[in-house]
C-alpha cells in the first residue's frame, strides 16, 4: 500500500489523475485516503450510498483537508456546488466504472466538475478497468486528460489511438453478431485489442493482484512478517443427485 500511495501521488502530479485498480481486498480506499492526506487542497469524495459511512470514517481517520463525502446518486448536488470552483480540488470517485457512459447526465456533470479548475486532480477507484469496452475506458481517462493535450507522453495522439481501438472493437462485435468470424479469430482480435488498451493506459493505472503479492519477493516477505494470507479459492464441486 505504501508503494501504491507514492505511485498515486506521482501520477497525480504528472498526469493530473490516476486509475487505482487493485483487485478487491487490497485496500484501494485506504490507499486513496492516505494519498489524499498527503495532497494539499480540498478533497471531494463521490462514493456509492452503501460506502458513504465508510468514507466518512476514513475522512476523520486520515484527517483529510476540507473533505466532503457525497453519494454517487447526488452528482447533481456536487455539480451545483463545485461547477465554478475557484480553488483546485482533489476528486476521488469510488466505483468509477459507474461513470463510463459519456451519454449520461451524471457523466457530463462529473466531467465538468473534474475540469472546473486547471489544477484539479482526479483519483478513480475501480476493480474492473479492463472489463469494459475501449469507449468506456476512454470516458474515464477523459475525466483527467484532455485528448488533444495529453500529458501521457508515451501516446502520440490519445484521441486517435482510442478511436482506432473503438472502431476495431465495434467491427469485432458486428462480425461476432453476424457470424462472420470464428471463435479462434475472435479471441485473437479481442486479445490484441485488450493488450493495446493496456499499453495506452498503463502509465495512469495502478493495478496489483493477490498473485502479485504472492510472487513479488518483498511483498511476499511482508505478508509473512505480518502473518497475512489470502484464502485460496477453489472451483465448485459437482454433486450428482
Amino acid at each position: 500500500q505504501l508503494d501504491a500511495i507514492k505511485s498515486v501521488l506521482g501520477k497525480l502530479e504528472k498526469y493530473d489523475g490516476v486509475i487505482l485498480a487493485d483487485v478487491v481486498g487490497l485496500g484501494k480506499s485506504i490507499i486513496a485516503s492516505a494519498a489524499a492526506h498527503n495532497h494539499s487542497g480540498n478533497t471531494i469524495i463521490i462514493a456509492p450510498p452503501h460506502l458513504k459511512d465508510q468514507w466518512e470514517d476514513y475522512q476523520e481517520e486520515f484527517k483529510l483537508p476540507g473533505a466532503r463525502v457525497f453519494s454517487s446518486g447526488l452528482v447533481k448536488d456536487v455539480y451545483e456546488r463545485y461547477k465554478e470552483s475557484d480553488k483546485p480540488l482533489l476528486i476521488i470517485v469510488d466505483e468509477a466504472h459507474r461513470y463510463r457512459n459519456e451519454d449520461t447526465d451524471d457523466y457530463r456533470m462529473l466531467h465538468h466538475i473534474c475540469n472546473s479548475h486547471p489544477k484539479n486532480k482526479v483519483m478513480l477507484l475501480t476493480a474492473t478497468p479492463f472489463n469494459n469496452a475501449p469507449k468506456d475506458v476512454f470516458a474515464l481517462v477523459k475525466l483527467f486528460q484532455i485528448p488533444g493535450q495529453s500529458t501521457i507522453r508515451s501516446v502520440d495522439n490519445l484521441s486517435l489511438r482510442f478511436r482506432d481501438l473503438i472502431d476495431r472493437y465495434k467491427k469485432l462485435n458486428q462480425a461476432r453478431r453476424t457470424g462472420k468470424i470464428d471463435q479462434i479469430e475472435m479471441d485473437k482480435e479481442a486479445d490484441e485489442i485488450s493488450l493495446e488498451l493496456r499499453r495506452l493506459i498503463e502509465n495512469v493505472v495502478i493495478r496489483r493482484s493477490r498473485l502479485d503479492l504472492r510472487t513479488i519477493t518483498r511483498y511476499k516477505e511482508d505478508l509473512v512478517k505480518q502473518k497475512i494470507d489470502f484464502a485460496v479459492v477453489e472451483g465448485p464441486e459437482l454433486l450428482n443427485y
Side-chain angles (χ1 to χ4, degrees), residues 7 12-13 18 50 83 88 93 100 110-111 114 124 135 137 142 152 155-156 165-166 199 211 213:
S7 187
L12 287 177
E13 185 63 32
V18 60
H50 66 282
K83 63 183 177 182
V93 185
R100 64 184 185 269
L110 180 60
H111 186 272
C114 291
L124 305 176
K135 180 184 177 185
V137 178
K142 281 194 282 190
I152 306 175
V155 180
D156 47 2
L165 277 186
I166 291 166
R199 286 192 189 122
L211 184 61
L213 269 61

Side-chain angles (χ1 to χ4, degrees), residues 56-67:
E56 285 174 345
D57 289 342
Y58 287 147
Q59 175 193 354
E60 185 178 340
E61 182 180 346
F62 287 89
K63 300 178 176 61
L64 304 184

Side-chain angles (χ1 to χ4, degrees), residues 2 9 50 56 65 107 123 131-132 146 159 206 209 234 240:
L2 288 173
L9 292 169
H50 66 282
E56 285 174 345
Y107 178 88
M123 203 186 304
N131 292 354
N132 301 314
I146 300 172
S159 190
I206 298 168
S209 68
E234 297 181 357
N240 291 316

Side-chain angles (χ1 to χ4, degrees), residues 88-129:
L89 303 166
L90 171 63
I91 300 140
I92 299 174
V93 185
D94 198 0
E95 296 197 8
H97 47 272
R98 291 167 177 249
Y99 303 99
R100 64 184 185 269
N101 187 348
E102 292 184 68
D103 298 326
T104 64
D105 288 338
D106 275 359
Y107 178 88
R108 293 188 191 101
M109 287 186 285
L110 180 60
H111 186 272
H112 185 97
I113 296 161
C114 291
N115 290 275
S116 62
H117 192 282
K119 292 187 178 180
N120 281 357
K121 308 292 183 185
V122 180
M123 203 186 304
L124 305 176
L125 278 56
T126 174
T128 59

Side-chain angles (χ1 to χ4, degrees), residues 67-236:
R68 289 186 61 110
V69 183
F70 294 88
S71 169
S72 55
L74 300 174
V75 173
K76 188 174 181 181
D77 291 354
V78 189
Y79 172 75
E80 292 297 336
R81 186 179 182 88
Y82 296 103
K83 63 183 177 182
E84 295 177 358
S85 176
D86 59 352
K87 294 180 181 178
L89 303 166
L90 171 63
I91 300 140
I92 299 174
V93 185
D94 198 0
E95 296 197 8
H97 47 272
R98 291 167 177 249
Y99 303 99
R100 64 184 185 269
N101 187 348
E102 292 184 68
D103 298 326
T104 64
D105 288 338
D106 275 359
Y107 178 88
R108 293 188 191 101
M109 287 186 285
L110 180 60
H111 186 272
H112 185 97
I113 296 161
C114 291
N115 290 275
S116 62
H117 192 282
K119 292 187 178 180
N120 281 357
K121 308 292 183 185
V122 180
M123 203 186 304
L124 305 176
L125 278 56
T126 174
T128 59
F130 300 115
N131 292 354
N132 301 314
K135 180 184 177 185
D136 299 338
V137 178
F138 192 30
L140 294 180
V141 172
K142 281 194 282 190
L143 291 174
F144 58 87
Q145 283 281 304
I146 300 172
Q149 301 170 29
S150 173
T151 57
I152 306 175
R153 296 303 179 196
S154 60
V155 180
D156 47 2
N157 188 318
L158 197 63
S159 190
L160 192 64
R161 298 279 291 279
F162 260 107
R163 197 179 306 133
D164 177 56
L165 277 186
I166 291 166
D167 287 344
R168 284 175 64 185
Y169 186 82
K170 194 182 294 183
K171 287 174 183 175
L172 180 63
N173 270 337
Q174 288 172 345
R176 178 181 57 82
R177 284 195 297 268
T178 57
K180 292 180 179 178
I181 188 171
D182 62 37
Q183 190 66 43
I184 293 173
E185 287 180 289
M186 188 170 73
D187 290 345
K188 183 174 180 290
E189 175 66 358
D191 286 344
E192 287 179 3
I193 292 171
S194 178
L195 185 61
E196 182 60 24
L197 181 60
R198 286 170 186 262
R199 286 192 189 122
L200 274 181
I201 65 172
E202 63 184 355
N203 286 342
V204 295
V205 173
I206 298 168
R207 181 170 177 81
R208 286 90 52 85
S209 68
R210 297 182 182 191
L211 184 61
D212 292 328
L213 269 61
R214 287 197 178 105
T215 54
I216 297 172
T217 304
R218 66 196 191 89
Y219 292 162
K220 183 179 179 180
E221 289 174 350
D222 187 54
L223 287 176
V224 172
K225 183 180 176 182
Q226 296 193 59
K227 297 182 173 61
I228 296 173
D229 198 5
F230 298 108
V232 177
V233 180
E234 297 181 357

